[in-house]
């Protein structure tokens, strides 16, 4: 009777706070395959802070060094068994993160006009994106500039022409 064929699977590692890169580096030095999804933007940030994925064979790999690896807190498990992560999930993450981030619609400092919500038809200064669907703008309210978060879909770019401000709706 032949021994069952084992195959490597993905598992989840919890890292020590803000030590995802350190844990990944030390695990790779021990020849473990790791995956640490990163958000792309101004700075690379972990998609799942405090976690990374590791590919292991339950029968062939030695799991004991993992727990004492610098940066690693533990192997995530339920009921005493390491939690498996489907290969399809890892592939979906890789595919999604491989798509280049689209260029932001607005740049910090640009004049924008609101076209919805309680501040409609007011002009403001774009400060930054706040996630995928919201933006932070600088709005002049009662002679004071206030930072306000609004849905990005309510904003359009203003183009300056001479002394008159004109706004373009996209």
């Amino acid at each position: 009777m032949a021994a069952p064929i084992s195959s490597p699977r993905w598992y989840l590692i919890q890292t020590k706070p803000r030590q995802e890169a350190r844990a990944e580096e030390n695990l790779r030095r021990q020849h473990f395959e790791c995956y640490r999804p990163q958000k792309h933007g101004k700075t690379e940030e972990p998609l799942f802070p405090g976690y990374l994925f590791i590919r292991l064979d339950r029968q062939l790999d030695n799991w004991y060094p993992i727990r004492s690896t610098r940066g690693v807190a533990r192997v995530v498990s339920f009921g005493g068994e390491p939690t498996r992560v489907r290969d399809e999930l890892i592939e979906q993450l890789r595919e999604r993160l491989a798509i280049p981030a689209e260029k932001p619609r607005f740049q910090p400092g640009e004049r924008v006009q609101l076209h919805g919500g309680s501040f409609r038809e007011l002009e403001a200064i774009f400060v930054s994106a706040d996630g995928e669907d919201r933006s932070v703008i600088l709005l002049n309210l009662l002679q004071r500039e206030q930072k306000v978060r609004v849905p990005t879909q309510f904003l359009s770019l203003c183009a300056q022409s001479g002394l008159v401000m004109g706004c373009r709706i996209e």
Side-chain angles (χ1 to χ4, degrees):
M1 185 181 207
I5 299 172
S6 64
S7 63
R9 306 273 190 225
W10 288 103
Y11 296 91
L12 188 60
I13 297 284
Q14 184 178 18
T15 66
K16 293 179 180 172
R18 292 174 298 287
Q19 293 191 30
E20 300 89 355
R22 179 183 213 183
E24 180 184 26
E25 178 184 346
N26 288 314
L27 288 166
R28 286 186 187 278
R29 285 183 182 164
Q30 297 173 64
H31 306 289
F32 289 113
E33 182 181 353
C34 298
Y35 178 52
R36 182 172 49 103
Q38 299 283 316
K39 292 181 200 175
H40 303 292
K42 292 179 185 173
T43 60
E44 296 274 318
E45 294 179 27
L47 187 60
F48 304 109
Y51 295 92
L52 62 87
F53 300 98
I54 187 168
R55 192 167 174 85
L56 298 166
D57 188 307
R58 293 271 321 248
Q59 296 174 353
L60 300 177
D61 286 323
N62 182 2
W63 291 51
Y64 292 107
I66 296 170
R67 285 182 279 174
S68 60
T69 300
R70 287 181 182 213
V72 172
R74 68 185 182 100
V75 176
V76 176
S77 58
F78 291 101
E81 290 292 313
T83 305
R84 254 189 70 202
V85 177
R86 292 187 348 263
D87 288 352
E88 296 83 25
L89 177 64
I90 301 297
E91 286 309 309
Q92 288 172 357
L93 283 169
R94 285 183 167 155
E95 287 172 12
R96 188 169 185 198
L97 293 172
I99 298 169
E102 70 180 56
K103 186 179 178 231
R105 284 180 54 190
F106 308 105
Q107 298 298 316
E110 285 184 324
R111 293 188 84 51
V112 292
Q113 185 171 15
L114 287 132
H115 296 284
S118 51
F119 300 119
R120 85 177 110 256
E121 306 309 321
L122 291 179
E123 290 184 10
I125 304 292
F126 180 80
V127 176
S128 66
D130 185 24
E132 292 182 24
D133 300 326
R134 297 187 67 77
S135 293
V136 178
I137 59 171
L138 200 56
L139 198 56
N140 193 348
L141 296 172
L142 303 172
Q143 307 302 324
R144 292 184 57 190
E145 290 183 332
Q146 300 288 322
K147 284 187 181 178
V148 179
R149 285 177 174 71
V150 296
T152 304
Q153 68 184 12
F154 289 172
L155 300 178
S156 66
L157 191 60
C158 292
Q160 189 170 6
S161 57
L163 299 174
V164 179
M165 292 295 287
C167 295
R168 172 179 47 128
I169 299 175
E170 293 182 11

